Amino acid sequence: MELHIVINGRKDLAAQLYQQLREAIATGRLSAGAQLPPSRLLAEQLGVSRKTVSDTYATLTYEGLLVGKIGRGTFVNAWAPQPNRVQTATDLACAANLAKWQALPSPMHHPTRDTTLRYEFIGGATSRNQFPQDEWRRCTQDALRRIAQNSGFYSQPEGLAALRSAIAGHIAFSRGVKCRDSDIVVTNGAQQALDLIARVVLEPGSIVAMEDPGYSPARHLFTAMGALVIGVPVDEQGIQVDLIPDGARLIYVTPSHQFPLGMPMSLPRREALLARAFALGAIIIEDDYDSEFRYEGRPTDSLQSMDSRGVVTYVGTFSKTLLPELRLGYAVLPPAIYGAVLKAKQLTDQHSSTLPQWALAKFISEGYLLKHIRRCHTVYAGRRERILQRLAADLSPWFEAVPTVAGFHMAALCKVPVNIPLLMELARQVEVGLYPLDVFFHDTPVRPGLIIGFGAIETLDIDPALDKVRDILQQIG
C-alpha cells in the first residue's frame, strides 16, 4: 500500500515532503510505531530523487519524530509529539443532539463473549448449542457459489427474490400471514424494520402509542426520532385500546406474546385495535418476535391476517429462531407505505448482505428451518416447564410466574418486596445472570420482578442456577 503523499510541481520538493510527513505524524495519521516506506521506494512513488527522501527522513529523525532501526527500516518514533487536541462533543454545534443520543439507555444490551456468565437467564438470546451448524454450513457454501456466479452489481433493496418467496411461504404456513413476495422487505434484524417504518411514518412531535410495559428498544428508537411516545397500559387481554390517545400515527404492539409479560391479545381486543387504528389513520406495527414457539392452547392468528384495511405492518426476525448475530429480519408492509419504506431502505444501506440472504433462502426452502424450530420447541418446552416448577415450589415465597403460552422467556412478578438490584448483583457474583422487569415500564406503575429467558441457558444448568438464586433470596430476606 502506498503512503499518501502529494507533491505539487517541482519546487521545494524536500519542504513539501517534510511538511506532509510531519503533519501526518502530528495528527496521528501515521501512528507511533508505523513503518515508513524505504527511501528508494518512496522516491519512485513520488517521482523525486532518493536523496530528497533520505534528507527528509534524516531531518525528521534529528527532530525525534522518526527512528531508524538497522536492518529493519524507518519508523515513527513511539515518543513522537501527541496529536493536537481535537474538538470534544461539547465543542460542537450539535452538542445537544449528541447528548440526547448518548443519554438513551440500553436496557437489553447483551453481554459480550468475555462478560457472559456461567448461567444466563437473559431474554431474546438462544443457545449456540442449538444452532444447526452443519445445515447452515451447507447453505452458506451454496450461497458462496451463487455469489461467485453473479454480476458483481448491487442487489435490490427489498431483498433477494428467493428469500422473500421463502419467507412468504414460511409465515403463511406457521403464522397465517397473508402476503405476497412483493409485500416483503428484508432488513438487518427487526430493529431496522422498526427504524424504516418509523422514518416514513413519523415526524418530530408525532404521537406513538405502545404497550406499557413494552419493548424498550422500540420506545427509545421512536423517542430518538423526536416522537412523543405514550405508554398504554396492558391487562390480561393485552393493550387497552380505549386508552390509545387521539392523534396517534403509530401503534406498536406484540399481540401474540406481549413483551415482556407474555399474555396474548384477545380476539375482541384485536378487532378493537384494528378499528381504532383505521379511525385514527394510524399504522400498527405487529412485532411477532418469537411466537413460533407455542406450548399450550390453540395457535392464535397473526393480527396481520385479520387486517382487511391495510393498517398492519408485520415485523418478524430470525434472530430468535436462529442466532441474533445473523441480523436478518423482515417487514410485511401494507401497500400505503411499501414504496416509502423501500426508498428509506435504499437510502439507509442499499440492501442487506446477500450472502446470509442466499443461505437463509436455501435453509428455509430445504425444510431446515421448520426442523430446527421443532427441535428447539422440545428443548424450550422442557426448560420452561422446569422453571415454572421451581417458581411454584421453593421460589414461590418470592415470585409468581405470569401465565404465558409462547416464546422463550417469562416474567416472574414479586409477591413480596425484593431488592432486585441487590439480588442481581449477588447473583452475578456466583455467575448467574438475572434481569429486571422495571426497565420496560414507562408511564404505568412499575411491577417489580424478573424477566427470565430460557433460550440461552442449558437445561441441566437451570436447577443449579435457581438453587443459587434461592439461597441468595434466603440470605437477603
Side-chain angles (χ1 to χ4, degrees):
M1 182 181 296
E2 294 183 347
L3 175 62
H4 183 72
I5 298 290
V6 179
I7 300 295
N8 295 314
R10 304 302 300 171
K11 295 183 178 180
D12 299 324
L13 301 182
Q16 291 186 56
L17 180 58
Y18 168 82
Q19 186 61 36
Q20 291 189 55
L21 286 175
R22 197 178 196 288
E23 182 179 354
I25 296 170
T27 59
R29 183 164 64 85
L30 284 175
S31 59
Q35 184 174 9
L36 272 64
S39 58
R40 184 187 301 277
L41 182 61
L42 185 58
E44 292 175 357
Q45 172 192 332
L46 300 177
V48 301
S49 70
R50 184 182 180 186
K51 184 176 184 304
T52 298
V53 176
S54 298
D55 289 349
T56 303
Y57 280 6
T59 301
L60 292 170
T61 300
Y62 177 78
E63 294 178 354
L65 298 176
L66 299 180
V67 59
K69 299 181 180 180
I70 298 175
R72 295 181 58 194
T74 303
F75 297 81
V76 177
N77 196 337
W79 301 102
Q82 295 298 309
N84 294 329
R85 178 184 178 274
V86 298
Q87 284 187 310
T88 65
T90 55
D91 297 324
L92 299 174
C94 59
N97 205 45
L98 294 175
K100 178 192 73 174
W101 279 90
Q102 291 176 347
L104 293 174
S106 301
M108 296 189 69
H109 186 73
H110 281 208
T112 65
R113 182 177 181 179
D114 294 334
T115 59
T116 300
L117 301 177
R118 173 70 178 84
Y119 308 103
E120 274 290 356
F121 286 106
I122 192 167
T126 57
S127 169
R128 188 173 295 274
N129 293 339
Q130 298 299 118
F131 186 71
Q133 296 282 359
D134 293 339
E135 292 92 338
W136 185 257
R137 186 179 300 109
R138 285 195 291 271
C139 294
T140 301
Q141 290 169 346
D142 179 76
L144 288 170
R145 286 192 293 269
R146 290 181 179 274
I147 289 176
Q149 297 168 1
N150 282 350
S151 61
F153 299 143
Y154 285 110
S155 186
Q156 297 303 307
E158 61 266 32
L160 295 177
L163 179 55
R164 289 183 290 125
S165 176
I167 291 173
H170 173 70
I171 59 180
F173 176 83
S174 63
R175 298 294 299 123
V177 174
K178 300 175 182 177
C179 71
R180 300 164 298 174
D181 306 1
S182 56
D183 298 325
I184 296 173
V185 172
V186 177
T187 60
N188 298 320
Q191 192 71 11
Q192 189 190 40
L194 302 182
D195 178 271
L196 296 174
I197 297 162
R199 282 174 186 267
V200 303
V201 173
L202 301 178
E203 296 174 320
S206 297
I207 295 176
V208 176
M210 66 176 290
E211 300 161 324
D212 193 0
Y215 184 58
S216 297
R219 171 181 292 280
H220 300 320
L221 172 66
F222 303 145
T223 300
M225 291 187 174
L228 173 60
V229 184
I230 297 178
V232 181
V234 298
D235 58 22
E236 65 278 359
Q237 296 189 61
I239 190 170
Q240 298 183 36
V241 175
D242 56 326
L243 297 181
I244 293 176
D246 293 338
R249 284 194 184 187
L250 192 64
I251 304 170
Y252 174 86
V253 290
T254 51
S256 297
H257 184 219
Q258 198 280 330
F259 187 90
L261 297 181
M263 75 286 287
M265 190 182 297
S266 68
L267 180 60
R269 198 65 63 84
R270 292 174 184 235
E271 293 171 342
L273 176 59
L274 290 170
R276 177 65 170 154
F278 182 72
L280 290 171
I283 288 292
I284 299 172
I285 295 179
E286 177 184 10
D287 191 347
D288 201 21
Y289 60 100
D290 68 355
S291 60
E292 289 173 311
F293 300 105
R294 174 166 290 276
Y295 312 105
E296 297 177 10
R298 298 170 61 183
T300 57
D301 283 337
S302 63
L303 183 67
Q304 189 269 357
S305 68
M306 302 171 58
D307 178 26
S308 60
R309 295 163 170 153
V311 298
V312 176
T313 294
Y314 180 90
V315 173
T317 179
F318 296 98
S319 296
K320 307 298 186 292
T321 50
L322 292 172
L323 275 182
E325 293 169 304
L326 292 178
R327 304 308 302 138
L328 283 171
Y330 58 92
V332 179
L333 301 160
I337 67 170
Y338 183 89
V341 171
L342 189 61
K343 181 66 70 173
K345 170 68 175 174
Q346 186 176 20
L347 293 175
T348 299
D349 65 357
Q350 188 65 42
H351 62 79
S352 299
S353 173
T354 57
L355 176 62
Q357 286 193 64
W358 279 118
L360 182 57
K362 184 173 180 63
F363 191 82
I364 297 173
S365 61
E366 293 291 326
Y368 295 139
L369 179 60
L370 285 176
K371 180 182 177 181
H372 172 65
I373 290 173
R374 286 194 293 267
R375 183 169 57 243
C376 288
H377 183 279
T378 301
V379 174
Y380 294 155
R383 295 176 184 174
R384 170 181 175 273
E385 183 60 29
R386 187 57 192 149
I387 294 172
L388 286 173
Q389 290 172 355
R390 293 295 301 270
L391 288 172
D394 55 338
L395 296 176
S396 62
W398 300 277
F399 294 104
E400 62 178 342
V402 178
T404 181
V405 297
F408 50 93
H409 82 264
M410 67 179 71
L413 300 176
C414 293
K415 296 169 66 175
V416 296
V418 175
N419 188 333
I420 296 294
L422 178 59
L423 172 63
M424 292 167 51
E425 177 58 31
L426 294 176
R428 287 191 64 84
Q429 295 177 16
V430 291
E431 290 288 303
V432 178
L434 297 179
Y435 299 88
L437 268 179
D438 60 1
V439 296
F440 303 112
F441 288 80
H442 190 260
D443 297 320
T444 60
V446 172
R447 301 176 68 184
L450 298 173
I451 179 170
I452 303 177
F454 46 89
I457 189 167
E458 298 298 331
T459 304
L460 294 179
D461 287 339
I462 290 175
D463 279 323
L466 293 183
D467 287 344
K468 294 175 182 291
V469 174
R470 178 202 59 212
D471 294 344
I472 294 171
L473 289 165
Q474 292 174 341
Q475 172 189 340
I476 65 177

